[in-house]
Every structure is written in C-alpha cells, then in structure tokens.
Amino acid sequence: MKKEFFIVSVLWSPSDGKYYLIQRKSNNEWSLIGDRVKCDTDLINIEGTAIKSIRHKTGYAHIECKGEIGRVDQDDSAISRTIHFFLFYLSEVPESEKIKEQKVEKKGNWFTFKETISRLTPEVSRRILYQAERKIHTDEIIISSKPKIVVAAGPGTGKTFLFEKVCKKKENDNNLIMTFINELVNDLKFGLGQLADVRTLHSFVMNELFPGSTEKPEVFMQIADVISEDFNIIEGRKISFKDIFNDLLDRNNSKALAFYFKRRKYYDCIGPSCAVYDLIKHFEKDKKEIPQYSQILIDEFQDFNKLEIKLLDLLADESPILIVGDDDQSLYDFKNAYPEEIRSRCLNFKSNYFYRSLPFCSRCPKVIIDSVNTLISKAEKGGFLKKRIPKRFEYFCSEEKDAISKKYQNISYRGEVQRVDFFIDKDIKEIFERDRNFSVLIICAHGSPKQKDEMENYLREKGFRNIQNKRKDDIKMEGYELLLKDSDRNLGWRILSKDKMKSAEFKRIIVKSKSEQDVFRSLLPKTIQSEIKKVLKILKKINDNIKINDEERKFILNQFSYNPSEIAFNKLKKEIKGSNVRKEGHKDISIKIVNPLGSKGLSADYVFLVNFNEDKVTNELLCQFIVSITRVKKKLYIYSQKKDPPTLIEWIKDYLE
C-alpha cells in the first residue's frame, strides 16, 4: 500500500500574534503554503517529524514538515513535539513569554495553540526561527551515521561549533582534527584540545613517520625547489618536483624521483610534500599501519592538493571522516590546491560523500553578507567562479549582530589614498572614542613583505606601539641556522655558497657533488669556507650573549646587507618623531598586519583592507577579496590608491559610504 504523507506549516500571524498549524495531504508532491522561500536541505528526522524549511518573511514564519499521516492521526503529540523543538528546545524565548502548555487543539485540519506567544515581536520571532534552522543544519550533520560527510561552509558559519558538537558526541573516543593554518590550530586547540588531537597536516605526517622520535629530520620547506635546481644543472632539463608530488605525477617520473630521494639523503632533510608522499607509500605498503580514529575532521579542505587528499582518502578507509571547506575561499593554488576537489565531493553523487551546508554567518554584519552575495552574483554573470558550489550565505540575525548591523550599515571606502597610515590613525582614534576594547586587522592587498614592512614602519612613526607583523623566513639565515646546528650539513653550505659564487662556478660545484661522496663544504673554495665560518663564529657569540668587537659588528652587518649608518639614522629619526607624537590611548591598540593569505583563520572587530588597486577581475582576486572582507566582525575600511574605484569596489558600490 502506498504511504500517504502530511505537510504541516506553522504560520505566525502579526495581526493577532498567534501561531497556526496547517495540515494538508499530498502524495509525493509538496503543497506550498504561503510566501515560502525554497530551502536547499533534504529531509531529516527530528523529534518524530522531518523539517523541510523555515523562513520568516512578509510577516509570517513558515515551518514546513513532512511525515507519515498515520502517525499524526493516531498521536497528535508528533505535532506538539515539533512545536516544542522550534519554540522551546532552543531556550531562546524569555521565560516570561514561553507557552506554559504544549497541547494542541484540533479543529478539522486546523491546529492552534491553547496558549499563544502574544508578546513576541516579529524580530524576536525571526531570531528564534533562524536559531532553529541553524540548529537543524548542524544537527543534521551531527546525527548522521554516514562515514563520509562533506560540508560546504562559508566564513563565520560555525565550523568550530560543529567540530565541538561532533567531538562531544564521541567524547570518550579518539578524535583527530587537521587543518593547514597554524592560527586555526591554536584556536581549535584552545576550544577543542580536550576533545580531540588538533594538528596541522604536516605535524600529523611527521608524527606518523617518526613516532616517539626525539631526533626527527630537519624540515626544510624549500627542499623541492633546491633539488629541482640541482636536477636542472646536473641532468640538463627543467623539472618541478613540487608539481610531481602535489599533482601525483610519480608514475611517469620514477627516474627523476630516484634522483630526488638520493639528493634528499645527501642534504639530510625532508620537505612537506615529500613527507606526505613517504607516509602514503608507508600506508600503501601496509594498510594495518593506518591509524584508526573515532572521527576525523578536516578544516579548510579546499586548501588540500591531490597528494594530501590521497592521504586523507587512505585515512578515510579506516575511520569516519568529516571534511569542511569553501570553494569561494580557495587561495592555495601556489601549492597546486584547487577548488575542483571539494566541488566534486559536494556536487558529484558518485563521490560517496553525504553533502550538507552551513548557510548562516554569525561573524559578519549584514552589509558584509549582502556585499559577498552581490559579488558572487555579478562574478557568475561575468563568467567567473564557474562550476562553483551553489550554496546559501546568509546573515544570522541575533540581538548582538542586529545591533552591530544597524550601527554599521555601510563599508567605509576611500580612493586616492597614498599614505594610508594617516587615515588608519584617524579612523582608529574615532573608534577608540566610542569603543575602548577592540581588535584591528590590517590586510595589505598586494601581500608583499615590503608592503607589510612599510605599513609597520609608517604606523610606528605615527606612534603605534603594539604591532604584529610576521616576516617571511630569510633563506640565507636558514642556511646559517642549519650550520649552527651541524657545521657539516651539506644543505647549509649549498644554500650559503650560491650567493657567494658566480653562476658558472656554482654549477660546477653542483655537478661535482653529484656522486654524494664528498661533503659539500670540501668542494668550495677555501676563501668562501673561511668567510662562512667567520660569520658562524660571530653568530654563535651573539646567540650565546658574548660581546663582539667593532670589527666583528661591521663584518656581520655587511654580510646581511645592513648599513650601520642608515640603521642609526633611522633609529634617531624614529626617536625624534616619537618624542613629538602625543601618547594617545588608541596608539596602544593591538594591530596585526597580514596579506590576504595570512588573514585566513583570523577575525577582528575592525578590518582595514589597504592598497586595493587591482582592476582586472580573476577568480584568485575574487577569492582573496571575499576572504579579506569576511574577517570583519563590526566595520570594514577599504583604501585604494586609485582615483576611480577598482572593479570589485564598483560592484558593491551600493554598500559603500
């Protein structure tokens, strides 16, 4: 016998403040009731019913449910449980305004509350319903028994909250959380450290390759580039080992890989990509070595490349896995990570992944949400972001966010700005007058270390004292650090000698080192050996807090291209300017300076996107822009050096002030 189904909608009427339930029968077809916005979620079972969608629009709150009609005819408590779930389970309604009885009166096909919530305003009702739908999206993932789940989640949509709930579900078991971003690892450890082992991918890999070892090999991030250069010199053809590893091109490059691993042994180090490759081979050789977890959770999945995803697939063969990501925030193409990987798992029904989404952003004010949706709409119409995952990205209304959104209804934009420090100083001072406790994030759109350093110097001249600006590692200093640990390390001598020799001479040394029989240092001219040893001796003194003489000081500064006179002059200049700067309270505010990539995993009350001048729209620029502007919790400031607004700014002109 074919089952009959019922459809129930809960309607809130602003005219009398009552909620109404309407039941309508249908066979496999939905009877749409009222002005309902279509929801992209599938059916789920909650409290004996299944929630289809919730919306509050044009004065009516619609909650649509689906279940077997026999259950309702026999037991009206199913309806009561549904009402309870939405109105009471969330504990969002003030105690004084809760319904004291949950009974439902039935009159034909109409159901009405015995008592109603007459004092709730539409705003409060709307917040309750949004809380309900967000909970539905989250609970649907938490209660799922599917072994493979993929979640499309935009910025600020509650990924950490989801991870916490999933881990608590298996609190007494061993859970693993992995991501790429150190900032995210620190945040996740703070909130979830008691519930899961939180690691970066490469921390996990090294721990698996060298379990319990106190003497792990030196990790050198650029080893693939170094050995690629060696291959070009020795074998006479260009090759990218980074691409071979990251794009899984190993089958057609066996001879080249043999060269790589021989050279890696000679340099006595390991790199991030080849470490993942090693672990994959280790697991493939013996599947019993693959660790098992109660739950694996992966954040920022769009940042994983094919090599890293292959490792995740091996782990997923032994443990349930939940991956979360957003193709609109794909910024890691420099390491061959592309959005197609998460798209295929979300959109391909053959992927074996249970796909869900988190649509509500509780971080950003409404103007940011509206701006992002406008950007995406115009980008897709312009032929960008092709095959993008179609997903909702909506403002989550709460009392706190509604107040912030009402206060900051626009994005502040200024063009023709050459010295942004003047405006940042002015704007932070104005913020400080109304808000004494706040965070500031400055995102340099170009992202170059030089631009970030200039920004820091400008702000310090203005008197700002609490500035964080992470600098890129200097490969020359990395070479000296290697030799300070081990004076015979071949990689250290190879790195440092390159800048001290002519190209032809350096290539001859690389060719001589092909046999790997000789220590690299022994192949170098005595003069270069002596010079590097002298630097090492002085650096060791500095490291051991031993005083160095004037000759040594002059020599070491020259080695690192520091001009003593210029350093002294700039220091004096800063002190003179600093003495003229008034000691104002807003100058002690903590400021972090990053590029768009470095902003991932961060958020701040006030975000300044500076030197945004790019006119040519690309997918990469769109993702960088979306990532940058969605770091903000309260107000966004954008500065451009151009007279005419760049294209992306023009697209969101309706939201600017």
Side-chain angles (χ1 to χ4, degrees):
M1 181 178 176
K2 195 172 184 181
K3 287 185 178 181
E4 284 188 295
F5 293 90
F6 73 86
I7 300 174
V8 177
S9 283
V10 179
L11 282 75
W12 177 79
S13 172
S15 60
D16 58 9
K18 292 184 178 181
Y19 285 83
Y20 295 98
L21 278 164
I22 298 179
Q23 175 185 335
R24 297 179 64 180
K25 297 181 181 180
S26 175
N27 290 323
N28 299 326
E29 290 186 6
W30 289 95
S31 299
L32 301 181
I33 304 171
D35 187 7
R36 186 182 69 83
V37 179
K38 187 177 179 182
C39 179
D40 63 359
T41 60
D42 289 336
L43 301 179
I44 58 172
N45 292 317
I46 297 179
E47 299 288 340
T49 66
I51 311 309
K52 181 62 181 176
S53 67
I54 311 165
R55 278 294 178 274
H56 189 287
K57 189 174 180 182
T58 61
Y60 289 89
H62 299 268
I63 305 171
E64 193 164 302
C65 315
K66 183 177 180 180
E68 290 186 31
I69 192 167
R71 177 181 296 175
V72 175
D73 286 344
Q74 296 166 16
D75 182 7
D76 286 343
S77 64
I79 298 292
S80 179
R81 287 198 303 271
T82 306
I83 299 166
H84 173 80
F85 175 78
F86 287 112
L87 301 182
F88 314 118
Y89 187 78
L90 296 172
S91 300
E92 288 296 322
V93 182
E95 287 293 332
S96 61
E97 299 180 4
K98 283 186 179 180
I99 298 175
K100 299 207 167 44
E101 295 184 39
Q102 300 175 25
K103 292 182 180 179
V104 180
E105 293 181 350
K106 182 178 179 182
K107 294 180 181 179
N109 286 338
W110 286 80
F111 293 80
T112 60
F113 285 110
K114 195 167 186 178
E115 294 187 29
T116 60
I117 305 175
S118 59
R119 284 171 291 182
L120 280 185
T121 64
E123 289 76 17
V124 175
S125 175
R126 185 167 176 263
R127 289 168 193 161
I128 295 171
L129 293 171
Y130 268 69
Q131 285 278 9
E133 185 174 6
R134 183 172 70 168
K135 183 167 180 61
I136 289 169
H137 283 275
T138 304
D139 283 358
E140 186 178 21
I141 298 165
I142 294 168
I143 67 177
S144 173
S145 60
K146 301 286 185 181
K148 295 181 178 181
I149 303 174
V150 57
V151 179
T157 52
K159 293 177 289 184
T160 303
F161 177 78
L162 173 65
F163 282 9
E164 180 184 359
K165 291 297 182 183
V166 172
C167 289
K168 281 185 175 179
K169 180 183 174 183
K170 305 180 180 184
E171 189 170 358
N172 297 323
D173 297 311
N174 62 322
N175 302 309
L176 173 68
I177 299 176
M178 283 198 292
T179 186
F180 268 107
I181 306 167
N182 285 319
E183 293 280 358
L184 275 177
V185 168
N186 295 334
D187 288 344
L188 289 168
K189 276 186 177 179
F190 180 78
L192 307 176
Q194 301 299 316
L195 300 173
D197 183 14
V198 184
R199 293 181 176 273
T200 62
L201 173 77
H202 296 299
S203 168
F204 169 80
V205 168
M206 293 300 288
N207 190 63
E208 288 296 319
L209 286 175
F210 309 98
S213 175
T214 55
E215 295 185 4
K216 296 178 182 179
E218 191 73 38
V219 176
F220 186 68
M221 301 299 290
Q222 301 176 58
I223 189 62
D225 294 331
V226 168
I227 299 179
S228 292
E229 185 179 33
D230 286 3
F231 187 90
N232 181 26
I233 293 169
I234 294 171
E235 299 297 331
R237 64 186 178 94
K238 289 186 176 181
I239 199 168
S240 170
F241 284 109
K242 182 184 75 172
D243 291 343
I244 290 175
F245 286 123
N246 292 344
D247 289 336
L248 292 176
L249 304 175
D250 51 322
R251 290 184 179 179
N252 299 323
N253 291 280
S254 56
K255 288 185 179 180
L257 282 175
F259 176 95
Y260 180 92
F261 288 110
K262 192 176 180 183
R263 272 326 253 190
R264 189 182 74 172
K265 184 178 180 182
Y266 179 65
Y267 289 134
D268 188 25
C269 72
I270 196 167
S273 295
C274 61
V276 176
Y277 183 85
D278 286 347
L279 187 58
I280 288 172
K281 293 301 177 185
H282 175 66
F283 286 162
E284 287 180 336
K285 186 177 180 180
D286 186 358
K287 293 289 182 72
K288 293 179 181 178
E289 289 293 311
I290 301 175
Q292 294 184 351
Y293 296 92
S294 300
Q295 181 70 57
I296 298 174
L297 303 106
I298 306 297
D299 198 9
E300 303 291 346
F301 181 75
Q302 74 280 351
D303 298 336
F304 286 66
N305 57 41
K306 288 183 178 180
L307 174 74
E308 295 151 348
I309 290 171
K310 185 170 184 179
L311 174 60
L312 297 185
D313 288 341
L314 286 170
L315 294 173
D317 288 340
E318 304 296 328
S319 307
I321 190 169
L322 186 154
I323 61 177
V324 180
D326 179 15
D327 56 339
D328 295 332
Q329 298 186 77
S330 179
L331 300 184
Y332 278 71
D333 59 339
F334 64 87
K335 73 175 188 72
N336 307 56
Y338 304 109
E340 285 73 21
E341 295 296 336
I342 188 169
R343 288 170 182 167
S344 67
R345 281 157 179 77
C346 291
L347 304 177
N348 185 355
F349 293 109
K350 297 180 181 180
S351 71
N352 297 321
Y353 272 84
F354 177 66
Y355 166 51
R356 288 297 175 263
S357 64
L358 295 176
F360 292 109
C361 175
S362 56
R363 175 195 297 161
C364 303
K366 190 174 186 301
V367 65
I368 300 297
I369 309 300
D370 292 341
S371 297
V372 169
N373 285 318
T374 298
L375 280 167
I376 290 172
S377 175
K378 292 190 176 182
E380 289 181 320
K381 287 178 182 177
F384 301 100
L385 303 178
K386 292 180 179 178
K387 297 183 179 179
R388 171 185 176 270
I389 300 169
K391 54 188 176 292
R392 293 158 56 201
F393 183 58
E394 297 189 19
Y395 169 73
F396 181 72
C397 56
S398 66
E399 187 173 1
E400 178 187 6
K401 280 300 170 187
D402 286 352
I404 290 172
S405 296
K406 186 176 181 180
K407 186 175 183 179
Y408 302 112
Q409 297 184 27
N410 298 100
I411 297 168
S412 177
Y413 173 75
R414 289 190 178 97
E416 294 186 280
V417 176
Q418 302 307 316
R419 283 289 299 265
V420 296
D421 55 301
F422 172 81
F423 292 102
I424 290 176
D425 183 17
K426 177 176 175 292
D427 289 330
I428 290 179
K429 185 177 181 179
E430 289 178 359
I431 294 168
F432 187 76
E433 290 173 356
R434 63 176 183 269
D435 186 357
R436 294 301 174 101
N437 185 22
F438 59 92
S439 54
V440 172
L441 181 66
I442 297 176
I443 304 175
C444 297
H446 292 171
S448 68
K450 181 181 178 183
Q451 186 186 87
K452 288 169 60 197
D453 291 345
E454 286 179 350
M455 177 59 59
E456 179 184 0
N457 291 334
Y458 287 152
L459 291 175
R460 290 197 183 280
E461 287 181 5
K462 286 287 184 182
F464 287 94
R465 297 174 280 276
N466 191 2
I467 301 173
Q468 301 174 56
N469 175 24
K470 186 177 180 181
R471 288 176 168 80
K472 188 177 180 181
D473 293 334
D474 180 3
I475 191 169
K476 183 189 290 188
M477 183 55 74
E478 287 186 82
Y480 281 115
E481 287 174 354
L482 288 169
L483 295 182
L484 284 170
K485 294 176 185 176
D486 180 358
S487 60
D488 285 330
R489 192 178 287 272
N490 292 323
L491 181 59
W493 288 100
R494 192 259 190 225
I495 292 170
L496 296 172
S497 61
K498 182 180 178 181
D499 289 337
K500 297 181 180 298
M501 305 172 71
K502 292 182 179 180
S503 177
E505 186 180 10
F506 176 72
K507 288 179 180 179
R508 283 195 294 270
I509 298 295
I510 294 295
V511 172
K512 281 184 181 180
S513 72
K514 179 182 178 181
S515 66
E516 283 100 19
Q517 298 298 316
D518 300 309
V519 175
F520 198 92
R521 170 175 51 81
S522 67
L523 302 174
L524 299 173
K526 297 295 184 183
T527 53
I528 291 178
Q529 291 187 48
S530 298
E531 186 177 332
I532 293 174
K533 285 179 180 179
K534 186 176 179 180
V535 174
L536 286 170
K537 186 178 179 181
I538 298 172
L539 288 175
K540 192 173 187 310
K541 281 186 177 182
I542 294 171
N543 190 57
D544 294 339
N545 291 318
I546 299 173
K547 189 176 180 180
I548 61 174
N549 58 40
D550 290 341
E551 181 185 343
E552 290 173 325
R553 185 178 294 106
K554 184 177 180 181
F555 175 78
I556 198 71
L557 289 171
N558 183 59
Q559 286 292 312
F560 290 95
S561 302
Y562 292 136
N563 185 320
S565 299
E566 186 178 343
I567 292 172
F569 176 77
N570 287 335
K571 189 174 187 305
L572 183 61
K573 182 180 175 183
K574 286 181 182 179
E575 287 181 355
I576 294 171
K577 285 193 174 185
S579 64
N580 293 326
V581 174
R582 288 180 296 158
K583 305 298 182 186
E584 298 168 289
H586 73 283
K587 301 290 175 70
D588 288 320
I589 291 298
S590 177
I591 296 174
K592 184 171 285 190
I593 303 175
V594 296
N595 57 22
L597 184 64
S599 73
K600 294 196 76 172
L602 301 177
S603 62
D605 296 316
Y606 300 93
V607 172
F608 294 82
L609 178 59
V610 303
N611 297 333
F612 185 77
N613 308 317
E614 188 58 59
D615 254 332
K616 185 179 179 182
V617 178
T618 63
N619 288 335
E620 181 183 10
L621 181 67
L622 280 163
C623 290
Q624 287 182 355
F625 192 67
I626 289 170
V627 167
S628 297
I629 69 175
T630 53
R631 302 306 96 193
V632 66
K633 295 179 182 178
K634 292 185 177 179
K635 188 171 178 66
L636 173 67
Y637 299 79
I638 302 177
Y639 302 137
S640 175
Q641 294 169 313
K642 301 191 68 173
K643 180 179 180 181
D644 298 322
T647 305
L648 296 187
I649 300 299
E650 188 65 30
W651 284 4
I652 59 170
K653 62 183 179 182
D654 292 342
Y655 307 105
L656 306 179
E657 62 179 16

